[in-house]
Amino acid sequence: MTMEEKIARINALARKAKAEGLTDEEREEQAQLRRDYIDSVKANLKSQLDSLYVLDEKSGKKTNIIDFERERAARAGEKKEKQ
């Protein structure tokens, strides 16, 4: 099932839930389809973030955005400990 088909089915189940309610089987299907959709969105976002980088203008060094955020968070943690 393609993602477009999954989204259409999610929407159909949502309309049915609102109109008349869902069976236990349909609720399970809806939950699984929603989980698949969320996992797909997360994977796509991770893929996009993995391809981004920060360029240091002075040194010309490229740093992956994920690594950059980790380094920034670590520096922020060190500053808090010193205070």
Side-chain angles (χ1 to χ4, degrees), residues 19-81:
E20 60 191 73
L22 298 176
T23 65
D24 290 339
E25 247 180 43
E26 289 171 327
R27 269 190 234 105
E28 289 174 17
E29 178 187 9
Q30 185 183 42
Q32 184 60 50
L33 289 169
R34 286 176 172 173
R35 175 54 35 208
D36 291 348
Y37 176 76
I38 290 168
D39 290 345
S40 173
V41 169
K42 284 182 177 180
N44 287 336
L45 177 60
K46 183 180 180 332
S47 175
Q48 289 177 4
L49 290 176
D50 286 344
S51 67
L52 294 177
Y53 61 90
V54 175
L55 178 63
D56 185 323
E57 292 179 357
K58 292 179 183 176
S59 68
K61 177 185 171 190
K62 291 181 182 179
T63 304
N64 178 285
I65 193 76
I66 301 294
D67 296 335
F68 178 79
E69 285 299 316
R70 285 185 190 133
E71 291 170 10
R72 189 175 67 91
R75 285 192 303 271
E78 289 172 2
K79 288 180 182 178
K80 282 186 179 181
E81 289 176 6

